[in-house]
Amino acid sequence: MSATVSQPSPLRRAAQRALANPTTTLGAVIVLLIVLGAVFAPFITPHDPTEQDIISRLQAPSADYWLGTDQFGRDIFSRLLYGARISLVVSLGAIAVSIVIGGIIGMVSGYVGGKFDLIVMQAMDVLLSFPSLILGLIVVALLGPELVNLVIAIALTAIAPFARIARAPTMALKERAFVEAGHALGYSHTRIIFLHILPNILSELMVMGSLWMATAVRVEASLSFIGLGVKPPTPTWGGMTRDGFENILDAPWLAIFPGVAILLLVLGLNMVGDGLRDATDPKLRNE
């Protein structure tokens, strides 16, 4: 009697193929290091990120302050690690909300079709007509610069792309034999959408999510840079970069280090997202 061998999920197979690419592996390492630094920040940071020491203000990088201090004498390294928490929480929360809401909208719209699909997609086109940063700025300006509002603002900018990503394969899958068999067996539309169609498009949503996380990090940093991020003294990379420009000639490290942190996280997420996209796209898999 032969044993049944479980087959890995499409997303897991895509991850295995993506990690075979050195560029994707490098991106995954960068993201993992930043995530670990954010998670274990209380154990790694040598100083309190909000503690002020005017005597030590604008100190250059040294053994006591690895990346120097800001205009209030706060340790830059400690603030960078705690600032990573804000970037990761906001981007993960926003993309998770976008995948859920946008995915449901796209699947239902593609499954129902007809005038309903036309109206929903026109509404999504209206959202797509706004640049991500501008739409996020409008929402945060209306709701206020709070963590939850940042998540809502960034999620709103990403709902439309995820809806379109979910809609296209749903329209193709609803004509497949297994969906017609579900109708013949009397399955409800909800069961067909969430138990039969969703597993087949989940990998595409997750790949797009990894790419959009980089956009979410960038938008959060941009909003923080113009003063619409989480309120001080909570450290954010965008806010630290803005504060650094006030002393760019005397202490250039104030703007350089948070800027490099944003660059590395966005670069790492794009590397991972590009690798997953290539691994899931048959046209790009062998290029």
Side-chain angles (χ1 to χ4, degrees), residues 153-209:
I154 297 174
L156 188 60
T157 67
I159 286 176
F162 282 103
R164 287 202 165 274
I165 288 295
R167 171 181 175 267
T170 299
M171 295 181 68
L173 288 170
K174 72 177 183 179
E175 306 296 336
R176 298 283 293 273
F178 68 90
V179 173
E180 295 180 358
H183 288 303
L185 292 171
Y187 294 164
S188 66
H189 297 304
T190 303
R191 177 173 179 176
I192 291 174
I193 290 175
F194 289 101
L195 295 184
H196 298 276
I197 293 179
L198 178 59
N200 286 282
I201 69 172
L202 187 59
S203 61
E204 297 182 39
L205 291 174
M206 298 304 293
V207 170
M208 182 58 64

Side-chain angles (χ1 to χ4, degrees), residues 136-137 139-151 153 223-224 226-232 234 236:
L137 189 153
V139 175
V140 174
L142 291 174
L143 299 180
E146 301 291 342
L147 184 64
V148 175
N149 295 339
L150 276 174
V151 173
L223 292 174
S224 297
I226 59 179
L228 292 177
V230 179
K231 296 179 181 179
T234 302
T236 61

